[in-house]
Amino acid sequence: MSRTRVPLIALAALLLLALVAPAAAGPVRQTAPAADLVDQLIVGLRPGGDLAAQSQAQPDQVAAQLSAETGLSLSYAAAGPAPDLHVLQLPRAMTTAEAAQLAAQVATSPSVAYAEPNVRLYPALIPSDPRYAAEMWHLQPVNPVGTSNPANNYGVNMPPAWDITTGNSNLVVAVIDTGGLLNHEDLAGRTPAGNSGYDFVSDPFVGNDDDGRDPDPSDPGDWVEISDGCGVPTDSSWHGSHVAGTIGASANNGKGVVGVNWASRLLHLRGLGKCGGTLNDIAAAVRWAAGLSVSGVPDNPNPARVINMSLGGGGSCSITMQDAINAAVATGAVVVVAAGNSDQNVSNFQPGNCNNVITVAATDQDGYKASYSNFGSLVELSAPGGDSPLYDTGVLSTVSNGTTSPTTDGYAAYNGTSMASPHVAGIVSLMLSVNPGLSNTEVLDILQDTVTPFPGYSDCSTSTCGAGIVNAGNAVEEAARRVRTLALGSAAQTVSETTGTVSIPLSLSVVSNQNISVPYTVSGTAGGSDHDLTNGTLTIPAGATSANISFNLVNDSVTEPAETIIVTLGTPGGTPPRATLTGPTTHTVTVIDSGTSLLNIGTASVSENGSNYEVAFTVTRQGGLSSTASVSYTIEADLATDVELLAGTVNFAASETSKSVTATIAKSEVGTAPALIVSLSSPSSSAVLGSNTSARLVIDLDQFFLFLPIIRR
């Protein structure tokens, strides 16, 4: 289906945009929320266990014992939302993935039923920037309703992409354009430290800054007067800043707009100025952006992984431009370019017709081809470029309110393939943030395989506007899927049948915006009368990085030998699977009889006492309390070949649940060992060893000094 279009009277030949009047600035700055890091774990203790009982009167003991068992520095934060739940403080704030790994480590304790990061939950990751919800349709989810329906929205679907990543601060995106408003409230602080970019405009007239190439990429304005001799008079466009804002305007700062990527660095390169820019200057900027040497210019210390060029002109792809693009791509950079605004075949416009680039056409809010957009078989895909005022409100981003030189910070809605291209460049930067190993070919394959199809009524087709409209949520999920792994927290654990609930933790290396399911089968010598676990499927919810397979043990009165419950993971769901299994695929739970004691090392420490080290540790006992039990221990120096320093036996009387051991070891025996290792072995016939049978006690060498004689020659 088609609709009548009002033709554009004038199209910019080099700066690929059509302007709408600047919008008002945003409201008063609000406090930005802290980064989404985790600094606490929620720990569920096994009901009926010794630590659970002790925690009722001494909750601090939970952190003390688990710190000793795991070697982590945990402190008690608060009681949890239910009995036997406790919140422990981690030694520092960390990513959810890091916290999940530590949670899996804590969950190996025989006293712990499960542990998980105390994460924040949100309806979805939606920025709080005031103009996002009402005006930035181009970033929002797809909502196909019907032909030219006001409720239609063919945006790039950013929220589910942000649920996976908001960018990697070590990745750089270069914007080759008119320069940047480096102090704009939504762009300040987004460049690499000490390197905001470079001004490659060699002609002082074009540069409009009274000099040639220099390390200042700020945009002085590109207004045109009649006397300039390059067209009708125009105000400054602030084109480079508008493009940069779409890629990376700051998020959640209570101001204006938000960009696609909230964390990666923006590198501003001036290749355009008053009356456009030269091929030589632009090609030099491409090379420098990728980290290649340019004569007379210091090397770029922050090479870009993504390069955006929202610029173009007529003619076939020049050798100079193609060589620069080829050289940049050879370094691993992805080059994204605008198709052009002449409503013609892109084969006649460079750099959109060059090889090794991702050429982007523009669509409007309804999914039609924007009336001005170039098209053709060389277009890889489309993105929102706006087509205001008739068909949408345009693409909103960052500008200055100045008509010539920069003045106050502002925002404006523009139309153009210049506005479409940075959507794709920003999405590519998110894909590479989560999966930096992607090749250029893989990036393009993912972009094209995950698009939103053009609506049936659209005048766009795969032969004119590329594969479809870029879909950030789908593309970033696919990039993440290719490196996402699913792993068991450990391969085995030993528990007493008095334990109650047993948990087997699993963790994802990269979060997903979709549920991930993994089937599992149950085998082993323990039967259905011993536990309630059967074959099933574990689902890790979208946005989570860990989950537990949990089941209950039956504490019977039958005396029997140790039994096993073996859980074997199958292939995660999805076509292709949404995660790859890594590490062991089976977890064996050894269940000992309630009449048998389960022995573990509890707390353990080492301290200095003059010429000696004082070692203190506890051995905990669970189950089998009606009889005596014993276990051997050794203390060794942690050297290339461990040296045994001390050996002994811990004896438990009936009903005893823990024993403390202290030992004095001369420093001269320890020598240069960085740590001491306490190990349990050879339990008595009425006992077995649990999962924590050794502890490595690091010696604080910082407090010891070696004084050497001064030799004078």
Side-chain angles (χ1 to χ4, degrees), residues 351-421:
N353 56 7
C354 294
N355 295 323
N356 292 326
V357 299
I358 298 175
T359 301
V360 184
T363 49
D364 68 9
Q365 190 169 5
D366 285 325
Y368 284 94
K369 183 183 81 69
S371 57
Y372 51 80
S373 179
N374 286 349
F375 53 86
S377 60
L378 296 182
V379 172
E380 271 74 31
L381 75 167
S382 293
D387 207 348
S388 65
L390 294 180
Y391 304 117
D392 53 45
T393 57
V395 172
L396 185 67
S397 190
T398 46
V399 297
S400 171
N401 288 322
T403 57
T404 55
S405 300
T407 57
T408 56
D409 297 339
Y411 301 88
Y414 289 176
N415 303 316
T417 55
S418 277
M419 288 57 258
S421 176

Side-chain angles (χ1 to χ4, degrees), residues 150-173:
N152 271 346
N153 197 76
Y154 279 85
V156 299
N157 193 30
M158 286 310 310
W162 289 329
D163 285 341
I164 296 173
T165 182
T166 54
N168 184 324
S169 61
N170 294 319
L171 187 141
V172 176
V173 183

Side-chain angles (χ1 to χ4, degrees), residues 58-77:
Q58 298 175 290
D60 289 352
Q61 186 60 27
V62 176
Q65 180 167 322
L66 295 180
S67 294
E69 291 182 13
T70 61
L72 302 175
S73 179
L74 304 171
S75 58
Y76 195 81

Side-chain angles (χ1 to χ4, degrees), residues 569-580:
L569 301 182
T571 302
T575 306
R578 299 201 177 281
T580 301

